[in-house]
Amino acid sequence: MNTINDTLNIERDPPKWRSFSKPFWDATREKKLIIQYDKEVGKYQFFPRPTSIYTGKKSNLEWHEVSGHGEVYSFTIARRARPPFQGHEPFFIAVVKLPENVNVMGNMVNCSIEQMKIGLKVKPYWAPLSNGTHLLMFEPE
Amino acid sequence: MGMQDTAIVGFAETKIVEQSDRDVWELGAEILEDLLNSTGFEKQEIDGLILSSSMTGAGNCFWSQTTADHLALEVDFCQTVDIGGCSPTGALARAAIAIDAGLCTTVLCLFADTQKAESNQRPRSFQQEWQVPQGLLGPPTSFGFISSRYDHQFGLDLRALGKLAVAQRDSAVLNDLACEKLRKPITVDDYINSRLIADPVRLLDSVMVCDGASGLLITSKKNAARKGLTKIVTPIGYGERTTYRASESMVDVTDTGHRVAGAKAFKQAGLSPKDIASIHPYDDFIIAIMLQFEMLGFCKQGEGAAFIREHEFNHLGDLPLNTGGGQISAGQCGLAGGGTNLVEAVRQLFGEGDKRQVKNTKNALVTGIGGIPYARNWNSSVVMILTPNG
């Protein structure tokens, strides 16, 4: 089996959130995935935006909790990276399509190169960050 | 339309180097002097300045003003265009519009960046929050996603992509201004065997960031005639699209804004892909060239490899492509890199291609790609069609 780094041991700084993305990060403290939903058109969006990508009305937005189960839409194996990832290659970066029809990026854990493919069913894996929030990753179902 | 009443009267470019020991403004001064010498214009006749984005200029909110100051250009129109790799061609379009609207009469479009020697970028974007924690390298990672998905939907033909890489490299060998490190011929096998950067993106798929500058001098056709300049190039079609499909959350990453920008440019020009004499597409990664063939209608979506197999892309081929080597084989001058293929197209239409001169100079098509968004392909797409003495 080709070895690939699950990136869990890489010390990464917690991201700085913006006023409109703070609810997302707050929810990750309890390992909950919430994404924005436009109640007028009934559609989801990711990453968090300051307004609805559908209607341009920020007041239409609600935060909805979702399962985070999905399937790989695309992926790459990072063979070159910047610090703090440098020296820890190769590792996966996947784009995962959720049933809510949004794409979310994340690293993959517990997944071999042989196993990885577009369409692979995955579930969330929450990696702790130093400020008590968690980073969303994925692992095979 | 008004854009067609304008004339490019001169082009200039510096040697592309791995790392410049000269300041970005000194490169700008070299472009200015070359343009004054080749066109016979006086500095005082330039009353407009439009800059492309620049990683070196990125820390300066007054980039166009301070550049005008250093070059001592007294202008009535001064701005920076910040649509990434689309900025140079976008700058030319804006110059033509400004001249047509009477805001100014003669514009220096200057594309100068010394990203390798001095990068001042500190982007305020989604990246710090949504990509850096996952270890994204930036564009190579995004093109890894695009390429994997393309492979899944249509199949990735490495030999076809390699053919593009080889053709561009052969042209760079003939281009004395291309970065010396890249002026060595390669084979399709070299391309396929080059090391992986972000699967399936390889080293020879990718641009190398370099330093350099290029520029154009644009005026009205009337003014060009008054000055006795008969050798001119005119934009006859232009399309620009930023954040294609912004109102959709799931998009096909193999479908790009060039589809709409290209349709608009072709319609304005009254031409179709089969009429194009040479093509100078933005090339940050080899697959971007194939995607643009598909989006511009040279072939159907997913049939790029077959199209590539059927055509020859060197300067003597039936569809000459990035005849200066493109950015991948001449070097990418940071965010000014979009100027390299644009200036090459103008050079060819002026008939100054020297060892790499194309035979058919009826027209040339130039494109831009700018910015990498979250889990999509790119932020901005531009397409411009140019003709000589239009």
Side-chain angles (χ1 to χ4, degrees):
Chain A
M1 187 177 105
N2 288 317
T3 54
I4 190 152
N5 194 326
D6 62 15
T7 75
L8 289 173
N9 289 327
I10 297 172
E11 279 285 328
R12 46 197 132 192
D13 292 333
K16 289 198 182 84
W17 50 71
R18 300 189 191 281
S19 56
F20 54 85
S21 62
K22 187 170 182 293
F24 172 92
W25 291 104
D26 283 344
T28 69
R29 291 176 190 279
E30 293 161 27
K31 300 186 179 181
K32 283 184 180 164
L33 175 59
I34 62 170
I35 62 175
Q36 291 173 317
Y37 175 80
D38 183 318
K39 63 186 178 195
E40 185 183 327
V41 296
K43 291 180 181 174
Y44 293 87
Q45 64 186 37
F46 193 85
F47 59 96
R49 305 295 212 297
T51 190
S52 164
I53 68 168
Y54 302 103
T55 58
K57 294 175 188 167
K58 71 190 288 286
S59 60
N60 280 354
L61 289 179
E62 296 173 344
W63 289 95
H64 286 195
E65 186 178 353
V66 299
S67 75
H69 287 242
E71 61 177 56
V72 173
Y73 171 83
S74 193
F75 69 95
T76 187
I77 300 171
R79 311 265 178 185
R80 292 272 310 275
R82 295 194 186 91
F85 290 81
Q86 199 171 45
H88 299 280
E89 310 93 336
F91 57 92
F92 284 122
I93 308 171
V95 179
V96 171
K97 182 183 176 181
L98 303 184
E100 291 78 16
N101 210 37
V102 296
N103 268 338
V104 179
M105 276 187 216
N107 300 120
M108 288 286 292
V109 303
N110 301 319
C111 183
S112 67
I113 289 179
E114 289 78 6
Q115 202 179 352
M116 185 59 153
K117 60 173 187 187
I118 289 177
L120 179 73
K121 302 268 189 237
V122 297
K123 61 183 182 182
Y125 183 99
W126 292 98
L129 295 168
S130 62
N131 64 354
T133 65
H134 291 83
L135 187 65
L136 178 59
M137 297 186 183
F138 294 94
E139 63 178 332
E141 259 188 10
Chain B
M1 69 166 274
M3 196 171 67
Q4 301 187 352
D5 295 326
T6 56
I8 301 166
V9 293
F11 66 89
E13 49 188 328
T14 68
K15 175 80 177 169
I16 299 173
V17 296
E18 282 185 68
Q19 185 167 335
S20 181
D21 53 10
R22 295 190 297 152
D23 189 87
V24 70
W25 279 320
E26 190 176 335
L27 299 184
E30 180 181 323
I31 296 298
L32 172 62
E33 183 168 2
D34 283 358
L35 286 169
L36 295 176
N37 288 340
S38 66
T39 62
F41 270 74
E42 300 289 333
K43 176 175 82 79
Q44 284 72 10
E45 293 177 88
I46 298 174
D47 59 0
L49 175 67
I50 307 183
L51 303 183
S52 70
S53 311
S54 167
M55 292 292 195
T56 306
N60 179 355
C61 318
F62 306 96
W63 180 233
S64 63
Q65 286 176 336
T66 46
T67 301
D69 189 21
H70 277 77
L71 300 179
L73 295 170
E74 182 174 350
V75 294
D76 297 339
F77 188 75
C78 191
Q79 73 161 117
T80 300
V81 178
D82 68 344
I83 47 175
C86 292
S87 302
T89 303
L92 171 55
R94 284 155 179 76
I97 295 159
I99 292 166
D100 185 60
L103 295 174
C104 50
T105 58
T106 301
V107 177
L108 169 63
C109 283
L110 177 60
F111 323 125
D113 201 354
T114 53
Q115 179 180 352
K116 207 64 182 290
E118 184 193 346
S119 178
N120 293 312
Q121 70 154 334
R122 195 165 163 265
R124 188 185 206 280
S125 79
F126 68 91
Q127 292 164 358
Q128 198 58 39
E129 190 173 3
W130 303 107
Q131 284 196 346
V132 170
Q134 284 79 16
L136 264 81
L137 191 58
T141 316
S142 294
F143 275 86
F145 296 148
I146 293 168
S147 302
S148 292
R149 189 67 200 180
Y150 189 96
D151 192 27
H152 176 76
Q153 291 180 202
F154 308 111
L156 207 54
D157 183 333
L158 292 180
R159 299 206 78 81
L161 293 172
K163 183 178 174 182
L164 298 177
V166 169
Q168 294 205 160
R169 184 58 65 97
D170 288 346
S171 292
V173 172
L174 299 176
N175 178 3
D176 294 338
L177 295 177
C179 181
E180 286 306 320
K181 187 181 177 178
L182 299 171
R183 297 182 69 198
K184 296 177 185 76
I186 56 168
T187 64
V188 171
D189 286 331
D190 291 338
Y191 164 82
I192 291 172
N193 295 327
S194 65
R195 67 186 164 83
L196 289 162
I197 304 290
D199 298 30
V201 170
R202 292 162 156 73
L203 181 70
L204 292 178
D205 277 308
S206 318
V207 282
M208 180 171 89
V209 173
C210 289
D211 293 345
S214 59
L216 299 170
L217 195 67
I218 301 109
T219 192
S220 64
K221 272 187 182 170
K222 217 161 98 182
N223 199 34
R226 192 179 60 77
K227 301 275 292 182
L229 294 166
T230 50
K231 218 194 255 188
I232 62 166
V233 167
T234 294
I236 58 164
Y238 181 66
E240 176 177 317
R241 178 62 61 92
T242 291
T243 45
Y244 180 56
R245 297 192 186 279
S247 306
E248 296 170 44
S249 64
M250 277 299 296
V251 296
D252 174 0
V253 294
T254 69
D255 175 43
T256 87
H258 289 98
R259 193 189 282 283
V260 287
K264 194 170 175 182
F266 277 119
K267 192 176 174 198
Q268 269 179 16
L271 297 174
S272 68
K274 65 175 172 14
D275 302 315
I276 294 304
S278 69
I279 183 165
H280 305 270
Y282 193 91
D283 62 320
D284 41 1
F285 294 88
I286 291 288
I287 192 173
I289 302 170
M290 183 172 75
L291 292 174
Q292 290 175 89
F293 283 144
E294 297 180 6
M295 291 297 115
L296 296 174
F298 285 85
C299 57
K300 288 187 185 146
Q301 191 178 7
E303 296 180 1
F307 179 82
I308 292 165
R309 285 194 294 268
E310 287 161 10
H311 295 274
E312 290 304 325
F313 301 102
N314 64 35
H315 67 285
L316 298 173
D318 60 318
L319 185 60
L321 165 88
N322 285 334
T323 44
Q327 297 184 90
I328 291 172
S329 275
Q332 180 178 48
C333 306
L335 287 176
T340 299
N341 299 350
L342 170 61
V343 166
E344 175 66 18
V346 174
R347 176 191 288 280
Q348 290 288 354
L349 298 187
F350 268 66
E352 295 181 26
D354 193 24
K355 284 174 285 186
R356 60 182 192 276
Q357 178 62 47
V358 304
K359 284 179 285 187
N360 186 346
T361 56
K362 267 198 300 207
N363 60 54
L365 184 147
V366 181
T367 73
I369 288 175
I372 305 291
Y374 184 91
R376 292 169 183 250
N377 40 59
W378 45 78
N379 279 323
S380 292
S381 304
V382 300
V383 179
M384 182 178 275
I385 300 170
L386 300 161
T387 57
N389 303 314

